[in-house]
């Protein structure tokens, strides 16, 4: 009988381990500690990248030599606020800026972002103060906040549209927020430039 008991215990242990793995692996996604995604978006309103060609330019036709007026150069985005990321639950570096585009719309720009990959990461504007050395658990969701969407990549340069109804005088910090575990990976306090 002891061998039957051992087999039953072993089978139960295997079943419990399989159930725990089936629940824990999708929830925690531990493999994301070893993965990453680089996103490199251009600065909004920047001149497009010039492409050189090895083709010979077409011949010009002589005759009318009137000059056509050239278009004025595009206006550069205006930097309203900026800040630098500090680490919370995961090492996070880079800078963040709020830019006003010539058409009046606003964009949150992450530059040289480097943080861990993780499940369900978003970019949040928040009214919480960013304090160095303070853990990121349950900080930015205690007050007012606005999600600007899923984090596009855990590294690189990225742009996030800021809806017109967002009050940037009230929401003065940015967090890379993990919704799954209610924790900030890193955050930046926005200050006037």
């Amino acid at each position: 009988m002891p061998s039957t008991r051992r087999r039953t215990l072993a089978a139960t242990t295997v079943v419990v381990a399989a159930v725990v793995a089936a629940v824990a692996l999708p929830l925690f996604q531990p493999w994301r500690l070893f993965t990453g995604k680089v996103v490199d978006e251009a600065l909004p309103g920047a001149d497009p990248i010039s492409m050189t060609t090895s083709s010979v330019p077409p011949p010009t036709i002589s005759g009318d030599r009137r000059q056509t007026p050239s278009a004025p150069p595009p206006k550069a985005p205006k930097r309203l606020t900026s800040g630098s990321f500090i680490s919370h639950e995961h090492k996070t570096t880079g800078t963040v800026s709020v830019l006003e585009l010539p058409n009046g719309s606003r964009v949150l720009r992450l530059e040289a972002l480097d943080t861990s990959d993780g499940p369900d990461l978003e970019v949040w504007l928040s009214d919480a103060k960013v304090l160095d050395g303070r853990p990121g658990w349950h900080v930015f969701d205690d007050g007012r906040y606005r999600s600007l969407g899923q984090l596009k990549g855990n590294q690189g340069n990225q742009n996030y549209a800021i809806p017109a109804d967002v009050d940037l005088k009230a929401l003065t910090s940015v967090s890379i927020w993990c919704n799954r575990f209610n924790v900030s990976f890193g955050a930046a306090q926005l200050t006037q430039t």
Side-chain angles (χ1 to χ4, degrees):
M1 287 292 177
S3 64
T4 305
R5 206 177 275 186
R6 273 189 242 148
R7 276 191 236 136
T8 303
L9 181 60
T12 303
T13 302
V14 168
V15 168
V16 168
V19 169
V20 167
V23 171
L25 286 176
L27 180 66
F28 290 98
Q29 299 178 359
W31 58 87
R32 294 191 88 167
L33 292 173
F34 308 103
T35 63
K37 181 177 180 185
V38 177
V39 173
D40 193 15
E41 295 180 325
L43 180 69
D47 290 334
I49 298 170
S50 66
M51 302 295 282
T52 58
T53 179
S54 59
S55 302
V56 176
T60 57
I61 300 175
S62 308
D64 189 5
R65 295 185 177 234
R66 289 180 284 183
Q67 290 186 338
T68 57
S70 61
K75 286 186 171 180
K78 178 182 175 187
R79 189 175 314 274
L80 302 176
T81 59
S82 63
S84 295
F85 279 104
I86 64 165
S87 299
H88 278 151
E89 193 58 29
H90 292 265
K91 183 177 180 196
T92 303
T93 59
T95 60
V96 60
S97 300
V98 173
L99 305 173
E100 182 178 57
L101 304 181
N103 66 4
S105 64
R106 300 168 302 174
V107 171
L108 183 83
R109 170 100 173 143
L110 305 180
E111 291 185 324
L113 175 68
D114 190 5
T115 190
S116 298
D117 194 9
D120 203 11
L121 294 179
E122 293 187 1
V123 177
W124 280 16
L125 284 169
S126 170
D127 65 352
K129 295 285 184 210
V130 177
L131 302 173
D132 199 9
R134 180 176 179 188
W137 293 95
H138 306 284
V139 175
F140 295 92
D141 60 347
D142 288 344
R144 291 179 50 203
Y145 62 90
R146 180 75 174 262
S147 174
L148 300 181
Q150 293 289 316
L151 184 67
K152 297 173 185 178
N154 62 309
Q155 297 175 334
N157 305 309
Q158 304 161 35
N159 305 309
Y160 297 86
I162 300 173
D165 65 334
V166 170
D167 180 6
L168 292 174
K169 289 185 172 97
L171 303 180
T172 59
S173 62
V174 175
S175 174
I176 305 302
W177 185 257
C178 178
N179 271 328
R180 173 102 17 106
F181 298 105
N182 293 326
V183 67
S184 172
F185 276 31
Q189 190 69 48
L190 296 170
T191 57
Q192 298 289 330
T193 57

